[in-house]
Amino acid sequence: MIFPDIDTPAVLVDLDIAEANIDRFQGYCAKHGLSVRPHIKTHKLPMLARRQLEAGAIGITCQKISEAEAMIAEGGIDDVLITFNIFGKAKLARLRALSEKVRLSVVADNTDIVDGLARFFADASNPLGVLVECDTGAERCGVTTPEQARDLARYIDAQPGVSFLGLMTYPPVGQEVKVQEWLTQAKHEIEEIGLPVHVVSHGGSPGMWKAQDVPIATEYRIGTYIYNDRSLQARGICTWEDCALSVLATVISVPADNRAVIDAGSKVLTSDLLGLEGHGHVLGRPDILVQGLSEEHGVLKAAKIDLRVGDRIQIIPNHACVVTNMVDQIETTRGDSALGSVPVAARGKIQ
């Protein structure tokens, strides 16, 4: 039986694999002269954030203030970039408090966000560094032209309490040439008005092995790479052996020769498909399709299911980042050895 002392469903993280993933990409970026600023939204664990820093990362990326607060609570982390427009008095007050504990930078893609930052940091002893978020084709947040990036950089520079730091983008997958051209033009436009562009931050796990194809970037932000998942395997970014996170589940019913039911549903595997068929890859049984999920049940299908009640399986989920946020704790392992549970310190909070 697989890890018989761990109750199911459980989220397992093989630390040997996670650490190898950290070191592999850190080495790759060192070879190409690129700094790494990992995104902790994937693991949400201070222990792994510190391991990333020990490997050579220059700081961490967070998506929420609550994540950053949890990450720094145990010490050892002193450089944080929050890649999300921070808006509202309550959040801005917490952001100001956070800035007094670590070296902090944020992003903005409009003047309303900059105005709020300026109001709360006007009397700060050190100005808050702000990156202009740029939409280089992914169509999420971000100014949509290099000229808009220039104008917002100028606006930031004119406000009290904040300082223009550079550019940030979450790039469209497979469009490195376009991203390089967009950011190069934006940098040129901004330098033409006399402002230095100290940082050009871009990245994402789907494009990790082409990071060098955007040479204007000074740092690469990356999250899922530490665990990897089925979506990255499908893209050819990793192998199953590179996947550190899995869901351990128990078969609780075998109602037909071609069907079994496990105790892992949408509350642990998530309903994310990301263009894939089924809700995960069953290790050692590629013939099995994780066909459907309700909240607590997962339905497996195969021509011959060949499972019995009590059997255990490990599933590589489609999207590891969401799975992490589903549970209060993960179970750490090294190979076949269970090491114990670790609380997911930065999960769940909405701020």
Side-chain angles (χ1 to χ4, degrees), residues 14-34:
D14 189 314
L15 296 180
D16 285 341
I17 299 175
E19 290 169 358
N21 291 339
I22 292 170
D23 293 339
R24 185 183 305 114
F25 189 69
Q26 187 69 49
Y28 169 86
C29 285
K31 177 181 177 181
H32 293 286
L34 195 59

Side-chain angles (χ1 to χ4, degrees), residues 230 240 247 262 279-290 300-301 307 312-317:
R230 187 181 177 213
W240 297 125
V247 172
I262 55 174
H279 297 275
H281 169 76
V282 180
L283 288 174
R285 289 293 306 272
D287 60 312
I288 292 179
L289 175 69
V290 186
L300 311 180
K301 284 287 190 74
L307 291 170
R312 290 184 164 211
I313 61 172
Q314 280 180 265
I315 301 172
I316 304 297

Side-chain angles (χ1 to χ4, degrees), residues 258-272:
N258 69 338
R259 179 163 52 95
V261 181
I262 55 174
D263 61 354
S266 63
K267 287 183 176 179
V268 65
L269 281 169
T270 88
S271 56
D272 281 7

Side-chain angles (χ1 to χ4, degrees), residues 20 30 36 55 58 65 87 133 142 153 161 166 169-171 190 195 217-218 245 265 286 294 310 317 331 335:
V36 180
I58 61 170
I65 298 171
F87 184 80
E133 183 166 3
T169 190
Y170 180 76
I190 293 167
L195 293 177
T218 62
L245 181 145
S294 56
E331 300 294 333

Side-chain angles (χ1 to χ4, degrees), residues 211-230:
Q212 76 278 4
D213 292 344
V214 185
I216 195 171
T218 62
E219 66 179 34
Y220 201 86
R221 303 182 324 280
I222 185 166
T224 312
Y225 84 113
I226 188 171
Y227 289 161
N228 291 312
D229 57 22
R230 187 181 177 213

